[in-house]
Amino acid sequence: MAIFTRAPKAEPILGQNRAVAMVLGVLTWIIGLLFFFPLFWLVVNGFKEESVASSSPTLNFDPTLDRFSEVTEDSGGLLSFTEAFGNSFWIVLISTVLVMVLAIPAAYALAIRPMRKWRDILFFFISTKFLPIVGIIMPIWIIARDLDLLGTRTVLVVLYTAMNLPLAVWMLRSFFAEVPKELIEASQIDGCSLLGQIRQVILPIVAPGVAATALLCVIFAWNEFFFAIQLNPTGASTIPVWVNSQQKFQGQFLAGLSAASVLATLPVVLAGWVAQKRMIRGLAMGAIK
Amino acid sequence: MSAVVVDQSKNGGTPTSDDLARAAAIKRMERREGWKRRLPVLPALIYTILVTQIPFLFTLFYSLTDWRIDKVEPRQFIGVENYASLSGDKFFRDAAWISVQMTVMAVLLSLIVGTGLAILLDRKFFGQGFIRTLLITPFLVMPVVAGLMWKLQMFNSTFGIIGWVMNGLGFDSIEFATKYPLASVVVVLVWQWSPFMMLIVLAGLQGQDQSVLEAARVDGASSWGTFRQITLPQLRPFLELGTLLGAIYLIQVYDHIEVIVGGQPGAKNLPFYIAQRSIGGGNVFGLASAYSIVVVIASIIIANIGLRVLSNLLEDNS
Amino acid sequence: MAEVRYQEASRIYPGTEEPAVNQLNLDIGDGELLVLVGPSGSGKSTALRMLAGLETVNMGSIWINEVDVTLKPPQDRDIAMVFQNYALYPSMTVGDNMGFALKQQKVPKAERAERVAEAARILDLTEYLDRKPKNLSGGQRQRVAMGRAIVRQPQVFLMDEPLSNLDAKLRVQTRTELADLQARLGVTTVYVTHDQVEAMTMGHRVAVLNFGVLQQVDAPKTLYAAPANKFVAGFIGSPAMNLFDAENVDGKPGIAGVAVPINDAVAAALKGQSLDKVSVGVRPEHLTLGTAGIEGEVTVVEELGSESFVHVRTDHRGEATNIVVRDRGETQTARGDRVKIDFDGPLHVFGEDGQRVTA
Ligand SMILES: Nc1ncnc2c1ncn2[C@@H]1O[C@H](COP(=O)(O)OP(=O)(O)OP(=O)(O)O)[C@@H](O)[C@H]1O
Ligand SMILES: [Mg+2]
């Protein structure tokens, strides 16, 4: 009986005609593949010989892993892949941990037991994101120079923490706000300490949100280039600076650079793929919830 | 019998010392409670102020001096002279104009492309999740890599894909990034930011109140009518949010410019120019600081509009 | 075992003028099941949360077992609370949920397991101990919430509309079970509901709140038979009491031109009061359709099988006014009939101040 068929799902914007749906599906595929094509080509080029990469584009070649081993070799005094990777790894890890340590209590104070004027505080955090980095880069450079911190990992840890903190507070607050108030009250009545409350009651619920937030911080810190090149262009610098240094102004280098780019991008792209749904919910819903 | 117990005669209305002590204890408890609530936010707050707000005050101070870091002369306080000189400073005006063009074009185009992609993705088709994953990938790519990749393997006239396609179509290939530096940067920015806009709009489309859409269908609205009259208004806050977040980031673009056009003129925006004139070797810290303050003011204007939008969102929904 | 006392306890939410609970005085006996009832927003939850320690008491004090707990945090009050949405910890199993409070009190593991098992047995939850709350039905979740409370063996149970998320049938069944459980355990219980049937059937005594002010606290029977004021009279009872501003009929209070029968004591008490500012009330079962009395026309007949409620439109103080009459057995009337309504039972008279005029 017709009544028992499923309730109609809301109609998609572009109509429900089967032929139209088919065409639109194909169109979406084409656009999706086109968007991805530059990255696909990047991977392909990474497997080419330099001479092949530097001539007219082709898919007809013998793939080789040589470029990957070349770019990861020690390059005689210059920033090597291993060094850059190590620097990036530690800088990103420590700054993300710091961000979380600072942002989780803040999100608690803004969402679970909101202090008075919590909106103003949240706005302050967001509004620091509106302060262009160029507005503060000079004093930071001077201070870092005077403290002998130019060219160290420390300066990047400090700055990446500040860079990601507002975003993390913003996202975490929205995840924390989803914890039912009664759960917190029940745990209070059950005699849970504040720490126990966070560890045993809140974190199990918001863990996926915390993970997504941390991941976004990792992505932004990993990809950051401006601070890295301005404050830390030398030995202690990070992966983006290393990739940039793979451009050479003589000879053929496209295949090598492509291989380097793939190595630099892969960790973050994989992480982003895994967490895509939750990340965007945190970002977009941060404003809505 | 009934027992309506409102015993106001107790104590005859005058508070005893016991009552006062209790009232004070309650006050103390409330104050302690207030601090207990505030305390967790303080570390993050103080850290943010130290690393972002204090340096900004320094910038403000530098902008009122004639400080050049390469000269030993003591820096002198020159008031608003740096600012006064801005209107006659051709380089500054060029950079500011590039900034405006770049931000507006990148934000608008990625918003349009992103909305289109979101609408296409918001329907069931084979491989939906896969295509969505492909589509968000550009946003995850390191800006430096995105810039290099487009410059060398897309825009390059000998081994770039665009040149190859144009050759195939019978046109001469050109050095795209040199000939059209601004457009090149914008193309890469749109490639990276459309996925972001798409995700935000998609969140809006999927968060729609389905029952309203169904009601509209029952009322016989066409799909286009439903979109215009119901979906679009519901989508507005998401479009605004996308515009705001996009503008915040895109006004500060540096990496792409550094990598794609480097030192050449034609696509140097204010952040790039400021870095060049100060710590990048230009050394005129006083003047560059004044530039920075102008960027900050422009951002504050955008931010104010944006924050009003955000605050409406928070008011409506909590 | 415990007694509970509210003493002049008030709660004023920050940013509001009116107290949500206004100078509440209430004594709850050991082992008693006291129900707090009132319309939405009357301050029931607030009163309960003040006792739980979840809301600050701005004025007055709260005592449990002769100990002033006004300034104590929730965990030091030895209470257990059942929430409307149950507030089960989603990441813990049923067993862990029930044992959580004991774990916080550092009760040894073996004893904890024993007490959880005992509570689970009482509530018929033994086979669900290893499940997560999300894999339970609404009724089972409700029982887990109860179990979490009884495992603690607290001084006082606090329950805020614990049955309102159940469907109607289950609600009635659980209501009885809950009252039975409370009687067996003998733990002092404060129970909040907005459902007056629940209040009347469960409460040893019922406290009626309105706008944060306690209206009356009494055994259900007394509350029904002798409401202390107009608000309680109108609030308790289903269908509601017929309650009207009276009119002056030959120096007596009357309805639709007919004087109501009052005894001399009441008449004396009314002396000096303006009769059209006095109110009279009569429950539907204390009216009959007869040959004399208030005249009117039947508009609706609600047939319930064992009884029926006849709605009669009359002209009272110049306005069309509805009077509900209970008719036992199958009624003989139908819409459109002209009938006469006679008094057949107690009347309730409320003076100008809205308070009951006791005879
Ligand atoms: N956190 C709060 N801040 C300000 N006012 C509040 C707060 N909580 C409750 N109120 C107000 O206090 C009054 C009493 O609320 P309370 O929740 O105690 O009512 P209730 O009797 O439990 O109602 P319901 O049956 O709807 O649950 C209401 O007017 C309510 O608006
Ligand atoms: Mg309530």
Side-chain angles (χ1 to χ4, degrees):
Chain A
M1 258 166 60
I3 302 170
F4 292 115
T5 57
R6 281 201 296 152
K9 196 191 168 306
E11 191 176 359
I13 293 152
L14 298 166
Q16 252 183 347
N17 185 308
R18 276 190 82 96
V20 174
M22 189 76 185
V23 170
L24 287 173
V26 171
L27 180 70
T28 317
W29 266 84
I30 293 174
I31 295 178
L33 294 176
L34 274 179
F35 250 80
F36 192 73
F37 177 79
L39 286 168
F40 165 74
W41 199 243
L42 183 77
V43 178
V44 169
N45 275 340
F47 288 99
K48 287 178 177 171
E49 298 292 349
E50 290 295 358
S51 56
V52 181
S54 311
S55 50
S56 191
T58 177
L59 271 174
N60 184 14
F61 66 99
D62 291 326
T64 167
L65 283 171
D66 292 353
R67 300 295 86 68
F68 287 93
S69 50
E70 273 168 31
V71 293
T72 50
E73 266 166 22
D74 245 2
S75 45
L78 295 172
L79 181 67
S80 74
F81 172 75
T82 349
E83 280 172 321
F85 194 92
N87 290 335
S88 270
F89 179 84
W90 286 112
I91 291 168
V92 168
L93 180 75
I94 296 173
S95 79
T96 304
V97 169
L98 275 178
V99 167
M100 289 295 143
V101 166
L102 292 169
I104 287 177
Y108 179 90
L110 294 173
I112 304 267
R113 307 186 64 197
M115 52 203 279
R116 273 199 290 168
K117 308 219 166 144
W118 64 268
R119 280 201 181 88
D120 297 348
I121 303 287
L122 185 62
F123 279 166
F124 170 76
F125 277 113
I126 310 166
S127 68
T128 63
K129 276 264 121 190
F130 294 87
L131 181 67
I133 291 168
V134 293
I136 55 173
I137 185 69
M138 283 172 256
I140 284 178
W141 189 81
I142 302 275
I143 295 167
R145 190 194 60 174
D146 294 351
L147 294 177
D148 250 346
L149 286 174
L150 282 184
T152 64
R153 298 180 209 177
T154 316
V155 69
L156 291 187
V157 168
V158 169
L159 290 174
Y160 291 176
T161 304
M163 170 179 89
N164 281 329
L165 192 52
L167 188 77
V169 170
W170 167 260
M171 280 181 69
L172 285 178
R173 190 203 72 86
S174 75
F175 287 119
F176 275 43
E178 287 175 16
V179 178
K181 182 173 117 273
E182 288 83 359
L183 269 188
I184 309 294
E185 292 176 348
S187 76
Q188 275 180 298
I189 290 177
D190 281 349
C192 217
S193 67
L194 179 64
L195 213 64
Q197 193 186 97
I198 293 184
R199 273 214 339 260
Q200 299 179 47
V201 179
I202 302 175
L203 278 187
I205 300 176
V206 298
V210 172
T213 308
L215 230 112
L216 205 67
C217 293
V218 166
I219 292 175
F220 282 135
W222 182 270
N223 287 350
E224 207 286 333
F225 179 63
F226 181 72
F227 284 135
I229 191 87
Q230 297 297 346
L231 301 174
N232 202 348
T234 49
S237 207
T238 56
I239 286 285
V241 175
W242 171 77
V243 173
N244 194 40
S245 73
Q246 298 300 307
Q247 287 191 85
K248 303 190 178 76
F249 294 96
Q250 274 110 41
Q252 298 164 333
F253 60 86
L254 180 60
L257 182 66
S258 300
S261 297
V262 170
L263 292 176
T265 322
L266 208 58
V268 152
V269 166
L270 289 181
W273 281 351
V274 171
Q276 47 175 313
K277 276 196 176 159
R278 213 165 269 285
M279 250 161 30
I280 191 55
R281 204 181 54 129
L283 262 180
M285 297 298 170
I288 312 296
K289 276 260 166 71
Chain B
M1 55 142 258
S2 70
V4 181
V5 273
V6 183
D7 181 12
Q8 270 149 343
S9 61
K10 198 174 134 278
N11 297 339
T14 38
T16 64
S17 65
D18 205 35
D19 287 349
L20 290 178
R22 171 182 297 282
I26 291 174
K27 272 255 165 60
R28 264 203 311 281
M29 199 174 76
E30 280 188 327
R31 198 162 324 134
R32 209 169 43 229
E33 173 71 18
W35 274 107
K36 256 188 3 215
R37 284 175 185 233
R38 245 164 291 169
L39 198 65
V41 89
L42 288 182
L45 199 61
I46 292 168
Y47 189 91
T48 305
I49 292 173
L50 275 184
V51 184
T52 67
Q53 307 300 293
I54 306 284
F56 174 68
L57 294 180
F58 275 96
T59 307
L60 200 61
F61 167 71
Y62 296 165
S63 78
L64 302 173
T65 68
D66 65 351
W67 191 22
R68 296 182 57 107
I69 201 167
D70 52 342
K71 297 269 169 66
V72 276
E73 296 143 31
R75 63 184 165 212
Q76 274 188 13
F77 188 76
I78 55 167
V80 295
E81 202 174 291
N82 284 326
Y83 295 93
S85 72
L86 287 184
S87 60
D89 183 339
K90 180 170 175 329
F91 292 112
F92 172 79
R93 271 190 328 216
D94 287 351
W97 177 229
I98 296 275
S99 269
V100 171
Q101 285 175 289
M102 196 181 280
T103 311
V104 170
M105 284 199 288
V107 169
L108 279 186
L109 288 176
S110 42
L111 196 65
I112 293 168
V113 175
T115 307
L117 292 176
I119 290 173
L120 281 176
L121 267 186
D122 187 38
R123 40 186 302 131
K124 281 249 166 312
F125 62 91
F126 174 73
Q128 192 185 21
F130 175 68
I131 293 295
R132 189 191 57 222
T133 305
L134 289 192
L135 278 173
I136 66 158
T137 314
F139 182 63
L140 301 171
V141 170
M142 190 177 286
V144 172
V145 167
L148 287 172
M149 185 176 84
W150 275 86
K151 172 172 127 182
L152 295 169
Q153 56 168 38
M154 303 301 287
F155 295 149
N156 185 287
S157 58
T158 37
F159 40 83
I161 293 287
I162 295 179
W164 180 72
V165 171
M166 286 179 68
N167 279 334
L169 296 174
F171 294 98
D172 279 346
S173 58
I174 48 162
E175 201 52 61
F176 201 71
T178 324
K179 203 128 190 236
Y180 306 107
L182 181 59
S184 303
V185 174
V186 169
V187 164
V188 182
L189 290 177
V190 172
W191 179 73
Q192 286 216 278
W193 281 86
S194 300
F196 175 79
M197 301 294 189
M198 172 190 87
L199 284 174
I200 289 199
V201 175
L202 205 55
L205 283 174
Q206 291 175 348
Q208 282 184 92
D209 190 346
Q210 294 293 332
S211 59
V212 176
L213 293 182
E214 275 162 26
R217 278 194 73 194
V218 173
D219 290 345
S222 68
S223 358
W224 173 243
T226 316
F227 177 69
R228 247 198 32 227
Q229 288 164 33
I230 295 167
T231 305
L232 216 49
Q234 286 193 39
L235 226 45
R236 221 189 83 181
F238 291 89
L239 294 173
E240 289 171 341
L241 181 71
T243 310
L244 175 71
L245 293 177
I248 299 174
Y249 278 92
L250 288 169
I251 204 173
Q252 314 200 30
V253 164
Y254 175 90
D255 309 3
H256 301 80
I257 300 172
E258 162 84 31
V259 179
I260 299 174
V261 285
Q264 324 165 38
K268 281 196 238 174
N269 67 355
L270 274 176
F272 190 87
Y273 186 55
I274 291 167
Q276 232 183 16
R277 293 300 303 274
S278 55
I279 52 182
N283 294 332
V284 284
F285 273 56
L287 187 62
S289 296
Y291 292 169
S292 302
I293 298 298
V294 172
V295 179
V296 171
I297 290 170
S299 300
I300 287 173
I301 294 171
I302 298 177
N304 252 315
I305 301 167
L307 280 183
R308 202 152 303 153
V309 172
L310 286 183
S311 100
N312 284 344
L313 288 179
L314 282 176
E315 298 292 335
D316 290 352
N317 292 283
S318 53
Chain C
M1 295 287 115
E3 287 142 24
V4 172
R5 186 157 85 245
Y6 288 84
Q7 195 170 315
E8 298 285 305
S10 298
R11 170 64 176 149
I12 303 166
Y13 282 108
T16 58
E17 293 284 310
E18 288 296 304
V21 169
N22 197 351
Q23 297 189 322
L24 180 62
N25 281 305
L26 193 56
D27 277 296
I28 302 163
D30 182 22
E32 181 175 23
L33 198 170
L34 181 110
V35 177
L36 278 176
V37 72
S40 188
S42 56
K44 310 179 292 287
S45 297
T46 306
L48 192 74
R49 293 163 53 81
M50 288 159 79
L51 175 54
L54 297 170
E55 297 292 351
T56 318
V57 179
N58 299 97
M59 280 175 296
S61 54
I62 290 181
W63 302 68
I64 296 178
N65 240 1
E66 300 303 323
V67 177
D68 184 351
V69 297
T70 317
L71 300 177
K72 284 192 180 175
Q75 64 265 31
D76 297 344
R77 298 186 179 203
D78 198 8
I79 47 151
M81 187 152 169
V82 179
F83 293 85
Q84 179 174 356
N85 60 7
Y86 315 138
L88 302 178
Y89 307 120
S91 54
M92 301 179 201
T93 62
V94 168
D96 290 344
N97 258 287
M98 289 174 31
F100 188 67
L102 299 182
K103 199 166 147 195
Q104 305 308 311
Q105 296 165 8
K106 310 240 163 13
V107 172
K109 207 167 172 182
E111 187 191 340
R112 217 157 72 205
E114 199 175 304
R115 279 163 72 175
V116 168
E118 169 67 8
R121 197 185 51 71
I122 294 174
L123 291 162
D124 221 357
L125 283 170
T126 310
E127 55 188 302
Y128 306 110
L129 280 179
D130 292 326
R131 285 210 203 163
K132 291 275 174 69
K134 70 166 189 291
N135 300 325
L136 297 177
S137 73
Q140 289 161 347
R141 280 181 216 175
Q142 203 281 332
R143 295 214 300 277
V144 177
M146 281 300 304
R148 201 166 62 176
I150 66 177
V151 161
R152 298 189 50 182
Q153 303 171 353
Q155 304 246 37
V156 188
F157 285 146
L158 309 182
M159 307 191 188
D160 194 349
E161 314 215 7
L163 305 182
S164 60
N165 279 356
L166 301 179
D167 65 57
K169 200 167 160 205
L170 196 54
R171 186 154 61 220
V172 173
Q173 183 194 335
T174 314
R175 187 166 87 196
T176 343
E177 287 170 7
L178 213 156
D180 176 54
L181 183 66
Q182 194 273 339
R184 263 192 297 156
L185 298 174
V187 176
T188 312
T189 303
V190 184
Y191 186 105
V192 164
T193 178
H194 65 263
D195 178 351
Q196 48 111 357
V197 179
E198 218 168 278
M200 299 293 278
T201 50
M202 294 181 73
H204 301 168
R205 282 191 307 154
V206 176
V208 183
L209 281 175
N210 192 28
F211 293 120
V213 177
L214 180 64
Q215 305 291 320
Q216 182 174 7
V217 49
D218 258 319
K221 252 191 189 144
T222 323
L223 214 57
Y224 189 80
N229 58 32
K230 268 169 73 178
F231 174 79
V232 177
F235 187 75
I236 299 289
S238 170
M241 179 189 286
N242 296 295
L243 189 60
F244 309 106
D245 292 338
E247 57 187 5
N248 190 336
V249 181
D250 309 328
K252 284 183 169 177
I255 302 170
V258 178
V260 299
I262 52 172
N263 60 28
D264 296 344
V266 173
L270 284 178
K271 200 145 257 157
Q273 300 202 26
S274 152
L275 281 184
D276 31 325
K277 289 189 183 140
V278 163
S279 309
V280 284
V282 55
R283 297 207 180 270
E285 65 266 34
H286 298 143
L287 292 171
T288 55
L289 297 179
T291 49
I294 304 162
E295 283 183 43
E297 183 184 323
V298 175
T299 54
V300 175
V301 177
E302 292 173 335
E303 183 62 68
L304 299 180
S306 62
E307 58 190 7
S308 54
F309 292 99
V310 181
H311 293 242
V312 180
R313 188 166 60 211
T314 59
D315 181 40
H316 173 59
R317 291 168 55 133
E319 282 169 41
T321 303
N322 195 40
I323 299 182
V324 181
V325 180
R326 187 180 73 175
D327 204 0
R328 276 190 183 282
E330 266 178 48
T331 183
Q332 305 300 320
T333 52
R335 179 181 162 83
D337 290 353
R338 299 224 40 106
V339 291
K340 288 191 173 145
I341 304 170
D342 208 357
F343 297 100
D344 180 23
L347 280 160
H348 308 269
V349 181
F350 304 96
E352 283 176 346
D353 57 356
Q355 298 301 316
R356 180 178 193 83
V357 177
T358 36

